[in-house]
Amino acid sequence: MSGAGSPEISVDGTGLDIVIVAGRWHDVITDGLIAGATRVLEESGARHSLVRVPGSFELPVACKVALDNGADAVVALGVIIRGGTPHFEYVSAAATDGLTRVALDAGKPVGFGVLTLDDEQQGLDRVGLPGSKEDKGAEAAAAAIATAQLLQKLRGYSFD
């Protein structure tokens, strides 16, 4: 799936409802992320849907609504490319902090597939396109499923 040392995760998403929430900004990279996530969700047997938001800044609120409306997990996908202003740092922090808050508040998984990049080529190398070294959309989907499975087990576990 990814670079050296990353685990291969086999997941069974049967019975899970998962929403992919993806930014519209930089469609070549984002579409690659969506393709990887969709492939993993389909192979796992999870029911899934896709919603699009304008950019990475809007991911947390859409993920929160999806989880509040019954999704077992969400996969948040977006692209933030460094520019010549502090905007990169603001949006990166807002998206990361917001998605963390959503996961903690909902008690449900948020598969994190927001790429923070110095340039477009870094993104193309990480989205599972032909010639890519990594597939971050697939990794985010696998992590969401694996965490949903774990949380289901923990909720049914007796610590007595």
Side-chain angles (χ1 to χ4, degrees), residues 80-90 117-118:
I80 307 168
I81 299 178
R82 187 179 307 279
T85 69
H87 184 75
F88 173 86
E89 284 79 12
Y90 301 148
L117 310 167
D118 288 322

Side-chain angles (χ1 to χ4, degrees), residues 16 27 29 43 45 51 57 66 68 74 93 108 111 122 126-127 134 136 142 150 157-159:
L16 295 176
D27 59 346
I29 295 173
E43 290 172 358
V51 297
F57 185 81
D68 287 349
V74 293
K108 294 181 180 181
Q122 281 184 331
R126 298 171 69 195
V127 296
E134 299 176 282
K136 293 300 186 183
L150 173 66
Y157 185 77
S158 174
F159 292 94

Side-chain angles (χ1 to χ4, degrees), residues 38-99:
T38 299
R39 185 183 71 257
V40 167
L41 294 173
E42 288 175 355
E43 290 172 358
S44 77
R47 291 180 300 273
H48 59 91
S49 58
L50 169 67
V51 297
R52 302 295 294 260
V53 297
S56 294
F57 185 81
E58 293 80 19
L59 289 170
V61 70
C63 288
K64 180 180 183 335
V65 171
L67 292 172
D68 287 349
N69 285 332
D72 296 304
V74 293
V75 180
L77 305 174
V79 177
I80 307 168
I81 299 178
R82 187 179 307 279
T85 69
H87 184 75
F88 173 86
E89 284 79 12
Y90 301 148
V91 174
S92 297
T96 302
D97 294 346
L99 291 169

Side-chain angles (χ1 to χ4, degrees), residues 25 48-49 69 84 94 107 111 114 119 140 146 149:
W25 193 78
H48 59 91
S49 58
N69 285 332
V114 179
D119 56 46
Q149 293 168 333

Side-chain angles (χ1 to χ4, degrees), residues 7-21:
E8 290 295 324
I9 300 174
S10 175
V11 291
D12 179 2
T14 304
L16 295 176
D17 291 308
I18 299 180
V19 178
I20 299 170
V21 181

Side-chain angles (χ1 to χ4, degrees), residues 85-153:
T85 69
H87 184 75
F88 173 86
E89 284 79 12
Y90 301 148
V91 174
S92 297
T96 302
D97 294 346
L99 291 169
T100 300
R101 176 70 184 259
V102 167
L104 293 172
D105 288 351
K108 294 181 180 181
V110 175
F112 189 83
V114 179
L115 301 184
T116 53
L117 310 167
D118 288 322
D119 56 46
E120 180 180 9
Q121 188 58 52
Q122 281 184 331
L124 296 172
D125 289 341
R126 298 171 69 195
V127 296
L129 298 173
S132 294
K133 298 176 183 89
E134 299 176 282
D135 191 343
K136 293 300 186 183
E139 289 178 29
I145 295 167
T147 305
Q149 293 168 333
L150 173 66
L151 293 177
Q152 286 179 343
K153 288 178 186 174

